[in-house]
Short mmCIF file of all heavy atoms in Angstrom, two decimals:
data_model
loop_
_atom_site.label_atom_id
_atom_site.label_comp_id
_atom_site.label_asym_id
_atom_site.label_seq_id
_atom_site.Cartn_x
_atom_site.Cartn_y
_atom_site.Cartn_z
N VAL A 621 -7.11 -23.35 -18.10
CA VAL A 621 -7.61 -22.64 -19.28
C VAL A 621 -8.39 -21.41 -18.82
O VAL A 621 -9.32 -21.52 -18.02
CB VAL A 621 -8.51 -23.54 -20.13
CG1 VAL A 621 -9.05 -22.79 -21.33
CG2 VAL A 621 -7.73 -24.77 -20.58
N PHE A 622 -8.02 -20.25 -19.36
CA PHE A 622 -8.72 -19.03 -18.99
C PHE A 622 -9.84 -18.78 -19.99
O PHE A 622 -9.63 -18.76 -21.20
CB PHE A 622 -7.77 -17.83 -18.99
CG PHE A 622 -8.38 -16.60 -18.35
CD1 PHE A 622 -8.21 -16.36 -17.00
CD2 PHE A 622 -9.13 -15.71 -19.10
CE1 PHE A 622 -8.78 -15.25 -16.41
CE2 PHE A 622 -9.69 -14.60 -18.52
CZ PHE A 622 -9.52 -14.37 -17.16
N MET A 623 -11.05 -18.59 -19.46
CA MET A 623 -12.22 -18.30 -20.29
C MET A 623 -12.66 -16.87 -20.02
O MET A 623 -12.81 -16.46 -18.87
CB MET A 623 -13.35 -19.28 -19.95
CG MET A 623 -12.99 -20.75 -20.15
SD MET A 623 -12.84 -21.21 -21.88
CE MET A 623 -14.54 -21.13 -22.40
N THR A 627 -19.15 -15.48 -25.26
CA THR A 627 -19.74 -16.70 -25.78
C THR A 627 -18.65 -17.72 -26.03
O THR A 627 -17.46 -17.40 -26.02
CB THR A 627 -20.49 -16.43 -27.10
OG1 THR A 627 -19.55 -16.00 -28.09
CG2 THR A 627 -21.56 -15.36 -26.92
N LEU A 628 -19.08 -18.98 -26.30
CA LEU A 628 -18.10 -20.01 -26.67
C LEU A 628 -17.41 -19.62 -27.97
O LEU A 628 -16.19 -19.83 -28.12
CB LEU A 628 -18.81 -21.35 -26.82
CG LEU A 628 -19.37 -21.98 -25.53
CD1 LEU A 628 -20.15 -23.25 -25.87
CD2 LEU A 628 -18.26 -22.29 -24.55
N ASP A 629 -18.16 -19.03 -28.87
CA ASP A 629 -17.60 -18.62 -30.15
C ASP A 629 -16.51 -17.56 -29.94
O ASP A 629 -15.42 -17.67 -30.53
CB ASP A 629 -18.72 -18.05 -31.03
CG ASP A 629 -18.20 -17.57 -32.38
OD1 ASP A 629 -18.05 -18.41 -33.27
OD2 ASP A 629 -17.95 -16.36 -32.52
N ASN A 631 -14.72 -17.08 -27.34
CA ASN A 631 -13.59 -17.67 -26.63
C ASN A 631 -12.72 -18.51 -27.55
O ASN A 631 -11.54 -18.72 -27.26
CB ASN A 631 -14.08 -18.50 -25.45
CG ASN A 631 -14.20 -17.70 -24.18
OD1 ASN A 631 -13.22 -17.44 -23.49
ND2 ASN A 631 -15.42 -17.26 -23.88
N ILE A 632 -13.26 -18.98 -28.63
CA ILE A 632 -12.45 -19.71 -29.62
C ILE A 632 -11.79 -18.71 -30.58
O ILE A 632 -10.61 -18.84 -30.91
CB ILE A 632 -13.33 -20.72 -30.39
CG1 ILE A 632 -13.82 -21.83 -29.45
CG2 ILE A 632 -12.54 -21.34 -31.55
CD1 ILE A 632 -14.79 -22.79 -30.09
N ALA A 647 -14.42 -26.93 -33.29
CA ALA A 647 -15.07 -27.41 -32.07
C ALA A 647 -15.51 -28.86 -32.22
O ALA A 647 -15.34 -29.68 -31.30
CB ALA A 647 -16.26 -26.52 -31.73
N VAL A 650 -12.54 -31.54 -32.18
CA VAL A 650 -11.94 -31.91 -30.89
C VAL A 650 -12.93 -32.60 -29.97
O VAL A 650 -12.62 -32.86 -28.79
CB VAL A 650 -11.34 -30.67 -30.18
CG1 VAL A 650 -10.25 -30.05 -31.03
CG2 VAL A 650 -12.41 -29.64 -29.84
N LEU A 652 -16.29 -31.57 -29.27
CA LEU A 652 -17.25 -30.72 -28.55
C LEU A 652 -18.66 -30.80 -29.11
O LEU A 652 -19.56 -30.14 -28.59
CB LEU A 652 -16.78 -29.26 -28.59
CG LEU A 652 -15.77 -28.84 -27.51
CD1 LEU A 652 -15.24 -27.44 -27.81
CD2 LEU A 652 -16.42 -28.87 -26.13
N TYR A 655 -21.53 -31.74 -26.67
CA TYR A 655 -21.68 -30.70 -25.65
C TYR A 655 -22.40 -29.48 -26.24
O TYR A 655 -23.29 -28.91 -25.60
CB TYR A 655 -20.31 -30.30 -25.12
CG TYR A 655 -20.33 -29.13 -24.16
CD1 TYR A 655 -21.01 -29.21 -22.95
CD2 TYR A 655 -19.68 -27.94 -24.47
CE1 TYR A 655 -21.04 -28.14 -22.06
CE2 TYR A 655 -19.69 -26.86 -23.59
CZ TYR A 655 -20.38 -26.96 -22.39
OH TYR A 655 -20.40 -25.91 -21.52
N LEU A 656 -22.05 -29.11 -27.48
CA LEU A 656 -22.69 -27.95 -28.10
C LEU A 656 -24.16 -28.21 -28.37
O LEU A 656 -25.00 -27.31 -28.23
CB LEU A 656 -21.98 -27.61 -29.42
CG LEU A 656 -20.53 -27.11 -29.32
CD1 LEU A 656 -19.95 -26.85 -30.70
CD2 LEU A 656 -20.46 -25.83 -28.48
N LEU A 663 -22.65 -22.55 -30.13
CA LEU A 663 -21.45 -21.73 -29.94
C LEU A 663 -21.77 -20.34 -29.42
O LEU A 663 -20.88 -19.65 -28.91
CB LEU A 663 -20.68 -21.61 -31.27
CG LEU A 663 -19.84 -22.82 -31.67
CD1 LEU A 663 -19.27 -22.63 -33.07
CD2 LEU A 663 -18.70 -23.04 -30.67
N VAL A 667 -20.94 -17.49 -21.77
CA VAL A 667 -19.93 -18.02 -20.84
C VAL A 667 -19.74 -17.03 -19.70
O VAL A 667 -19.57 -15.83 -19.93
CB VAL A 667 -18.58 -18.23 -21.57
CG1 VAL A 667 -17.50 -18.70 -20.59
CG2 VAL A 667 -18.74 -19.25 -22.69
N MET A 674 -18.55 -24.35 -16.40
CA MET A 674 -18.05 -25.43 -17.26
C MET A 674 -17.09 -26.31 -16.47
O MET A 674 -16.41 -25.85 -15.55
CB MET A 674 -17.33 -24.85 -18.48
CG MET A 674 -18.19 -23.92 -19.31
SD MET A 674 -17.24 -23.10 -20.61
CE MET A 674 -16.81 -24.48 -21.65
N VAL A 676 -13.69 -28.78 -16.00
CA VAL A 676 -12.30 -28.63 -16.41
C VAL A 676 -12.09 -29.22 -17.80
O VAL A 676 -11.42 -28.62 -18.66
CB VAL A 676 -11.36 -29.31 -15.39
CG1 VAL A 676 -9.91 -29.29 -15.90
CG2 VAL A 676 -11.45 -28.62 -14.04
N GLY A 677 -12.70 -30.40 -18.04
CA GLY A 677 -12.54 -31.04 -19.34
C GLY A 677 -13.15 -30.23 -20.47
O GLY A 677 -12.59 -30.12 -21.56
N GLN A 678 -14.33 -29.63 -20.22
CA GLN A 678 -14.97 -28.82 -21.24
C GLN A 678 -14.14 -27.58 -21.57
O GLN A 678 -13.98 -27.21 -22.74
CB GLN A 678 -16.37 -28.41 -20.77
CG GLN A 678 -17.37 -29.57 -20.76
CD GLN A 678 -18.61 -29.27 -19.95
OE1 GLN A 678 -18.66 -28.30 -19.19
NE2 GLN A 678 -19.63 -30.10 -20.10
N ARG A 679 -13.59 -26.95 -20.55
CA ARG A 679 -12.72 -25.79 -20.79
C ARG A 679 -11.47 -26.21 -21.57
O ARG A 679 -10.99 -25.48 -22.43
CB ARG A 679 -12.33 -25.12 -19.46
CG ARG A 679 -13.49 -24.46 -18.75
CD ARG A 679 -13.00 -23.44 -17.73
NE ARG A 679 -12.23 -24.03 -16.67
CZ ARG A 679 -12.75 -24.49 -15.53
NH1 ARG A 679 -14.06 -24.44 -15.33
NH2 ARG A 679 -11.97 -25.01 -14.60
N GLN A 680 -10.96 -27.39 -21.24
CA GLN A 680 -9.77 -27.87 -21.94
C GLN A 680 -10.06 -28.11 -23.41
O GLN A 680 -9.26 -27.78 -24.29
CB GLN A 680 -9.31 -29.17 -21.27
CG GLN A 680 -7.86 -29.50 -21.48
CD GLN A 680 -6.94 -28.58 -20.71
OE1 GLN A 680 -6.44 -27.63 -21.28
NE2 GLN A 680 -6.72 -28.86 -19.44
N LEU A 681 -11.23 -28.66 -23.71
CA LEU A 681 -11.59 -28.91 -25.11
C LEU A 681 -11.80 -27.60 -25.86
O LEU A 681 -11.49 -27.50 -27.05
CB LEU A 681 -12.86 -29.77 -25.18
CG LEU A 681 -12.69 -31.24 -24.75
CD1 LEU A 681 -14.03 -31.96 -24.73
CD2 LEU A 681 -11.70 -31.96 -25.67
N ILE A 682 -12.34 -26.60 -25.18
CA ILE A 682 -12.47 -25.27 -25.80
C ILE A 682 -11.08 -24.74 -26.16
O ILE A 682 -10.88 -24.15 -27.23
CB ILE A 682 -13.19 -24.30 -24.84
CG1 ILE A 682 -14.67 -24.66 -24.71
CG2 ILE A 682 -13.04 -22.85 -25.32
CD1 ILE A 682 -15.48 -24.45 -25.96
N ALA A 683 -10.11 -24.96 -25.27
CA ALA A 683 -8.74 -24.51 -25.55
C ALA A 683 -8.17 -25.24 -26.76
O ALA A 683 -7.45 -24.65 -27.58
CB ALA A 683 -7.85 -24.73 -24.32
N PHE A 684 -8.48 -26.53 -26.90
CA PHE A 684 -8.03 -27.29 -28.06
C PHE A 684 -8.68 -26.76 -29.34
O PHE A 684 -8.03 -26.63 -30.38
CB PHE A 684 -8.34 -28.78 -27.90
CG PHE A 684 -7.50 -29.47 -26.88
CD1 PHE A 684 -8.04 -30.36 -25.98
CD2 PHE A 684 -6.13 -29.21 -26.80
CE1 PHE A 684 -7.26 -30.99 -25.03
CE2 PHE A 684 -5.35 -29.83 -25.86
CZ PHE A 684 -5.91 -30.73 -24.97
N ALA A 685 -9.99 -26.46 -29.26
CA ALA A 685 -10.68 -25.90 -30.42
C ALA A 685 -10.08 -24.54 -30.78
O ALA A 685 -9.94 -24.21 -31.97
CB ALA A 685 -12.18 -25.76 -30.12
N ARG A 686 -9.73 -23.77 -29.78
CA ARG A 686 -9.09 -22.47 -30.00
C ARG A 686 -7.77 -22.64 -30.76
O ARG A 686 -7.50 -21.93 -31.73
CB ARG A 686 -8.86 -21.82 -28.63
CG ARG A 686 -8.25 -20.45 -28.64
CD ARG A 686 -7.95 -20.03 -27.20
NE ARG A 686 -9.16 -19.81 -26.41
CZ ARG A 686 -9.15 -19.62 -25.09
NH1 ARG A 686 -8.01 -19.67 -24.41
NH2 ARG A 686 -10.27 -19.41 -24.43
N ALA A 687 -6.97 -23.63 -30.32
CA ALA A 687 -5.68 -23.87 -30.96
C ALA A 687 -5.86 -24.38 -32.40
O ALA A 687 -5.15 -23.96 -33.32
CB ALA A 687 -4.87 -24.87 -30.14
N LEU A 688 -6.83 -25.27 -32.59
CA LEU A 688 -7.06 -25.84 -33.92
C LEU A 688 -7.58 -24.79 -34.89
O LEU A 688 -7.16 -24.73 -36.05
CB LEU A 688 -8.05 -27.01 -33.83
CG LEU A 688 -8.31 -27.78 -35.12
CD1 LEU A 688 -7.03 -28.39 -35.66
CD2 LEU A 688 -9.36 -28.87 -34.88
#
Side-chain angles (χ1 to χ4, degrees):
V621 179
F622 191 91
M623 301 289 289
T627 64
L628 292 175
D629 179 82
N631 270 279
I632 294 175
V650 299
L652 275 171
Y655 174 63
L656 294 178
L663 282 173
V667 176
M674 303 172 66
V676 174
Q678 288 164 347
R679 292 199 296 271
Q680 203 71 263
L681 289 175
I682 290 292
F684 289 137
R686 182 186 292 170
L688 184 60

